[in-house]
Amino acid sequence: MGAGERRRLACTTCRGIVDRFNQGLADTAKKNFGGGNTAWEEKTLSKYESSEIRLVEITENLCDSSNFECNNMVEEHEEHIEKWWFKLKKKYPDLFKWFCIETLEVCCPPGTYGPDCLACRGGSERPCHGNGRCDGDGTRGGDGTCSCNKEYTGEFCLDCSNGYYSSLRNDTHSVCTACHTACKTCTGSSNKDCQDCKEGWIKNEETACVDLDECASSPCKDEQYCLNTDGSFSCKACDASCVGCTGEGSDKCKTCASGYTKEDEKCTDTDECNLSEKVCTKENEDCVNTPGSYKCVCSEGFEDKDGTCVQTVKTGKEVETETTEPSHTEHEDL
Ligand SMILES: [Ca+2]
């Protein structure tokens, strides 16, 4: 860990301690207070308010036991905290400022950075002109440079990034707004304000960037159709019933695939099993129609053996089942 990184961590640790201290203050605020308004209660409360008991209760919970840096810092600066509690908290009510910035000198005021708390780029009032983050802001680390939000660029986050244009600019403020989706760079909000078109867009006669119809140049494969979209295009698979197509579905085929016939402008599956000429010609064979084809399978009770359908040989168990007494319902069927 570098020195700058250690300084950042020290500030984070100190901030955590102060946050827990303030939480402790809130948690103990109503303690020993019955909710009534008796003089006795008022007196007890005001006594407890600045008591050592309350301080101990709060400081006990400043760190998680596993947080080495935190426990170390509290231990090392316990006296400072006590001094602030008993003598200084009226004069310096902001514990973070007094403890972390001014006493321990591990943090800096907001908008400043580094060992000497110098102002961030663009000034401590609005670091990076409010359009980015100042490196080390509020800590004794960092170098004060700006990391700009995506809309902004430049040392001070005043300039606009590619794809954004300046919609407001004065001495103190700079606002960059997104270009039209068709523009790579632009001077205004519409697609007529593009300097360069984004990929997939092209300048028309009115010099506006408009969608390029990539499908006009037939970029897809034989078994695909082209779908033009704003700024892009895609190639999609034709329906299984087509050989080549102009769009989605069996009604957009150029020609029908084998096993399909054109019917009502659609490529429809041919039912080979219903043709006048039988397609399954072997003995004990049935025809099963499938999309785009058909299958010849052995009839029930027969099985394929070396290309012919032979009667299924029953196993001993099946024979046994068949020879048992017919059940009541079977009997009724007879
Ligand atoms: Ca397009």
Side-chain angles (χ1 to χ4, degrees), residues 1 3 20 35 89 101 121 125 187 205 222 254 268 274 283 311 329:
M1 206 192 287
R20 294 273 282 254
K89 74 172 178 321
I101 299 176
R121 300 279 190 289
E125 280 298 307
T187 55
E205 304 88 70
D222 287 348
K254 285 181 188 161
T268 325
N274 256 339
E283 225 173 318
Q311 197 147 20
T329 45

PDB file of all heavy atoms in Angstrom, residues 1 3 20 35 89 101 121 125 187 205 222 254 268 274 283 311 329:
ATOM      1  N   MET A   1       0.850  -1.204   0.000  1.00  0.00           N
ATOM      2  CA  MET A   1       0.000   0.000   0.000  1.00  0.00           C
ATOM      3  C   MET A   1       0.886   1.256   0.000  1.00  0.00           C
ATOM      4  O   MET A   1       1.792   1.375   0.815  1.00  0.00           O
ATOM      5  CB  MET A   1      -0.893  -0.012   1.256  1.00  0.00           C
ATOM      6  CG  MET A   1      -2.175   0.762   1.091  1.00  0.00           C
ATOM      7  SD  MET A   1      -3.024   1.005   2.665  1.00  0.00           S
ATOM      8  CE  MET A   1      -3.651  -0.634   2.966  1.00  0.00           C
ATOM      9  N   ALA A   3       1.872   5.394   0.261  1.00  0.00           N
ATOM     10  CA  ALA A   3       1.611   6.379   1.322  1.00  0.00           C
ATOM     11  C   ALA A   3       0.263   7.074   1.099  1.00  0.00           C
ATOM     12  O   ALA A   3      -0.493   7.290   2.046  1.00  0.00           O
ATOM     13  CB  ALA A   3       2.735   7.406   1.360  1.00  0.00           C
ATOM     14  N   ARG A  20     -19.863   6.285  13.972  1.00  0.00           N
ATOM     15  CA  ARG A  20     -20.317   5.414  15.068  1.00  0.00           C
ATOM     16  C   ARG A  20     -20.511   6.232  16.346  1.00  0.00           C
ATOM     17  O   ARG A  20     -21.415   5.946  17.139  1.00  0.00           O
ATOM     18  CB  ARG A  20     -19.299   4.287  15.308  1.00  0.00           C
ATOM     19  CG  ARG A  20     -19.172   3.302  14.147  1.00  0.00           C
ATOM     20  CD  ARG A  20     -20.182   2.157  14.229  1.00  0.00           C
ATOM     21  NE  ARG A  20     -19.816   1.145  15.185  1.00  0.00           N
ATOM     22  CZ  ARG A  20     -19.350  -0.073  14.878  1.00  0.00           C
ATOM     23  NH1 ARG A  20     -19.174  -0.403  13.604  1.00  0.00           N
ATOM     24  NH2 ARG A  20     -19.073  -0.945  15.809  1.00  0.00           N
ATOM     25  N   GLY A  35     -39.632   9.934  30.053  1.00  0.00           N
ATOM     26  CA  GLY A  35     -40.660  10.499  29.186  1.00  0.00           C
ATOM     27  C   GLY A  35     -41.496  11.524  29.914  1.00  0.00           C
ATOM     28  O   GLY A  35     -42.224  12.296  29.312  1.00  0.00           O
ATOM     29  N   LYS A  89     -16.691  20.170  23.132  1.00  0.00           N
ATOM     30  CA  LYS A  89     -17.783  19.896  22.205  1.00  0.00           C
ATOM     31  C   LYS A  89     -18.776  21.057  22.054  1.00  0.00           C
ATOM     32  O   LYS A  89     -19.449  21.154  21.035  1.00  0.00           O
ATOM     33  CB  LYS A  89     -18.480  18.572  22.520  1.00  0.00           C
ATOM     34  CG  LYS A  89     -19.398  18.497  23.713  1.00  0.00           C
ATOM     35  CD  LYS A  89     -20.083  17.136  23.626  1.00  0.00           C
ATOM     36  CE  LYS A  89     -21.038  16.756  24.719  1.00  0.00           C
ATOM     37  NZ  LYS A  89     -20.727  17.098  26.082  1.00  0.00           N
ATOM     38  N   ILE A 101     -10.160  16.193  10.766  1.00  0.00           N
ATOM     39  CA  ILE A 101      -9.500  17.172   9.903  1.00  0.00           C
ATOM     40  C   ILE A 101      -8.465  17.986  10.687  1.00  0.00           C
ATOM     41  O   ILE A 101      -7.297  18.056  10.308  1.00  0.00           O
ATOM     42  CB  ILE A 101     -10.531  18.128   9.255  1.00  0.00           C
ATOM     43  CG1 ILE A 101     -11.528  17.332   8.384  1.00  0.00           C
ATOM     44  CG2 ILE A 101      -9.828  19.197   8.420  1.00  0.00           C
ATOM     45  CD1 ILE A 101     -12.641  18.159   7.771  1.00  0.00           C
ATOM     46  N   ARG A 121      -9.316  20.302  -8.623  1.00  0.00           N
ATOM     47  CA  ARG A 121      -9.455  20.977  -9.920  1.00  0.00           C
ATOM     48  C   ARG A 121     -10.865  21.535 -10.026  1.00  0.00           C
ATOM     49  O   ARG A 121     -11.843  20.847  -9.717  1.00  0.00           O
ATOM     50  CB  ARG A 121      -9.253  19.992 -11.070  1.00  0.00           C
ATOM     51  CG  ARG A 121      -7.922  19.318 -11.102  1.00  0.00           C
ATOM     52  CD  ARG A 121      -6.834  20.176 -11.720  1.00  0.00           C
ATOM     53  NE  ARG A 121      -5.629  19.382 -11.931  1.00  0.00           N
ATOM     54  CZ  ARG A 121      -4.832  18.938 -10.956  1.00  0.00           C
ATOM     55  NH1 ARG A 121      -5.102  19.230  -9.697  1.00  0.00           N
ATOM     56  NH2 ARG A 121      -3.772  18.201 -11.250  1.00  0.00           N
ATOM     57  N   GLU A 125     -15.361  24.511  -4.050  1.00  0.00           N
ATOM     58  CA  GLU A 125     -16.817  24.685  -3.964  1.00  0.00           C
ATOM     59  C   GLU A 125     -17.536  23.628  -4.794  1.00  0.00           C
ATOM     60  O   GLU A 125     -18.453  22.960  -4.307  1.00  0.00           O
ATOM     61  CB  GLU A 125     -17.213  26.082  -4.467  1.00  0.00           C
ATOM     62  CG  GLU A 125     -17.018  27.200  -3.467  1.00  0.00           C
ATOM     63  CD  GLU A 125     -17.870  27.015  -2.213  1.00  0.00           C
ATOM     64  OE1 GLU A 125     -19.097  26.834  -2.369  1.00  0.00           O
ATOM     65  OE2 GLU A 125     -17.307  27.038  -1.095  1.00  0.00           O
ATOM     66  N   THR A 187     -23.885  18.580 -32.743  1.00  0.00           N
ATOM     67  CA  THR A 187     -23.922  19.938 -32.205  1.00  0.00           C
ATOM     68  C   THR A 187     -25.273  20.235 -31.569  1.00  0.00           C
ATOM     69  O   THR A 187     -25.479  21.311 -31.025  1.00  0.00           O
ATOM     70  CB  THR A 187     -23.670  20.958 -33.330  1.00  0.00           C
ATOM     71  OG1 THR A 187     -24.630  20.726 -34.367  1.00  0.00           O
ATOM     72  CG2 THR A 187     -22.266  20.804 -33.904  1.00  0.00           C
ATOM     73  N   GLU A 205     -30.283  13.236 -48.230  1.00  0.00           N
ATOM     74  CA  GLU A 205     -30.154  14.494 -48.987  1.00  0.00           C
ATOM     75  C   GLU A 205     -30.254  15.709 -48.064  1.00  0.00           C
ATOM     76  O   GLU A 205     -29.608  16.715 -48.289  1.00  0.00           O
ATOM     77  CB  GLU A 205     -31.238  14.592 -50.072  1.00  0.00           C
ATOM     78  CG  GLU A 205     -31.269  13.438 -51.056  1.00  0.00           C
ATOM     79  CD  GLU A 205     -32.145  12.303 -50.558  1.00  0.00           C
ATOM     80  OE1 GLU A 205     -33.374  12.475 -50.516  1.00  0.00           O
ATOM     81  OE2 GLU A 205     -31.595  11.239 -50.182  1.00  0.00           O
ATOM     82  N   ASP A 222     -27.975 -18.124 -47.884  1.00  0.00           N
ATOM     83  CA  ASP A 222     -29.094 -18.636 -48.678  1.00  0.00           C
ATOM     84  C   ASP A 222     -30.298 -19.029 -47.831  1.00  0.00           C
ATOM     85  O   ASP A 222     -31.431 -18.773 -48.198  1.00  0.00           O
ATOM     86  CB  ASP A 222     -28.649 -19.864 -49.489  1.00  0.00           C
ATOM     87  CG  ASP A 222     -27.753 -19.448 -50.647  1.00  0.00           C
ATOM     88  OD1 ASP A 222     -27.690 -18.220 -50.912  1.00  0.00           O
ATOM     89  OD2 ASP A 222     -27.118 -20.319 -51.252  1.00  0.00           O
ATOM     90  N   LYS A 254     -39.259 -18.942 -50.838  1.00  0.00           N
ATOM     91  CA  LYS A 254     -39.050 -18.770 -52.278  1.00  0.00           C
ATOM     92  C   LYS A 254     -39.491 -20.057 -52.975  1.00  0.00           C
ATOM     93  O   LYS A 254     -40.279 -20.023 -53.907  1.00  0.00           O
ATOM     94  CB  LYS A 254     -37.571 -18.481 -52.567  1.00  0.00           C
ATOM     95  CG  LYS A 254     -37.165 -17.062 -52.203  1.00  0.00           C
ATOM     96  CD  LYS A 254     -35.689 -16.805 -52.537  1.00  0.00           C
ATOM     97  CE  LYS A 254     -35.221 -15.461 -52.001  1.00  0.00           C
ATOM     98  NZ  LYS A 254     -33.747 -15.417 -51.912  1.00  0.00           N
ATOM     99  N   THR A 268     -46.663 -26.467 -47.075  1.00  0.00           N
ATOM    100  CA  THR A 268     -47.297 -27.336 -46.086  1.00  0.00           C
ATOM    101  C   THR A 268     -46.717 -28.737 -46.183  1.00  0.00           C
ATOM    102  O   THR A 268     -46.394 -29.201 -47.280  1.00  0.00           O
ATOM    103  CB  THR A 268     -48.820 -27.402 -46.335  1.00  0.00           C
ATOM    104  OG1 THR A 268     -49.250 -26.133 -46.797  1.00  0.00           O
ATOM    105  CG2 THR A 268     -49.572 -27.753 -45.075  1.00  0.00           C
ATOM    106  N   ASN A 274     -50.756 -40.668 -46.950  1.00  0.00           N
ATOM    107  CA  ASN A 274     -52.085 -40.597 -47.549  1.00  0.00           C
ATOM    108  C   ASN A 274     -52.053 -40.581 -49.074  1.00  0.00           C
ATOM    109  O   ASN A 274     -53.062 -40.344 -49.706  1.00  0.00           O
ATOM    110  CB  ASN A 274     -52.808 -39.351 -47.028  1.00  0.00           C
ATOM    111  CG  ASN A 274     -53.856 -39.744 -45.994  1.00  0.00           C
ATOM    112  OD1 ASN A 274     -54.293 -40.894 -45.959  1.00  0.00           O
ATOM    113  ND2 ASN A 274     -54.251 -38.786 -45.175  1.00  0.00           N
ATOM    114  N   GLU A 283     -44.513 -56.011 -45.485  1.00  0.00           N
ATOM    115  CA  GLU A 283     -45.580 -56.657 -44.737  1.00  0.00           C
ATOM    116  C   GLU A 283     -45.533 -56.215 -43.261  1.00  0.00           C
ATOM    117  O   GLU A 283     -44.456 -56.054 -42.695  1.00  0.00           O
ATOM    118  CB  GLU A 283     -45.417 -58.178 -44.805  1.00  0.00           C
ATOM    119  CG  GLU A 283     -46.741 -58.882 -45.092  1.00  0.00           C
ATOM    120  CD  GLU A 283     -46.542 -60.360 -45.336  1.00  0.00           C
ATOM    121  OE1 GLU A 283     -45.570 -60.720 -46.033  1.00  0.00           O
ATOM    122  OE2 GLU A 283     -47.346 -61.139 -44.805  1.00  0.00           O
ATOM    123  N   GLN A 311     -43.129 -61.087 -35.808  1.00  0.00           N
ATOM    124  CA  GLN A 311     -43.962 -61.071 -34.602  1.00  0.00           C
ATOM    125  C   GLN A 311     -43.072 -61.012 -33.359  1.00  0.00           C
ATOM    126  O   GLN A 311     -42.055 -61.690 -33.284  1.00  0.00           O
ATOM    127  CB  GLN A 311     -44.816 -62.325 -34.544  1.00  0.00           C
ATOM    128  CG  GLN A 311     -45.969 -62.193 -33.572  1.00  0.00           C
ATOM    129  CD  GLN A 311     -47.184 -62.976 -34.052  1.00  0.00           C
ATOM    130  OE1 GLN A 311     -47.076 -63.886 -34.882  1.00  0.00           O
ATOM    131  NE2 GLN A 311     -48.348 -62.617 -33.556  1.00  0.00           N
ATOM    132  N   THR A 329     -63.619 -55.726 -15.449  1.00  0.00           N
ATOM    133  CA  THR A 329     -63.998 -54.831 -16.549  1.00  0.00           C
ATOM    134  C   THR A 329     -63.811 -55.512 -17.894  1.00  0.00           C
ATOM    135  O   THR A 329     -64.637 -55.377 -18.784  1.00  0.00           O
ATOM    136  CB  THR A 329     -63.169 -53.522 -16.529  1.00  0.00           C
ATOM    137  OG1 THR A 329     -61.824 -53.862 -16.302  1.00  0.00           O
ATOM    138  CG2 THR A 329     -63.680 -52.565 -15.478  1.00  0.00           C
TER     139      THR A 329
END
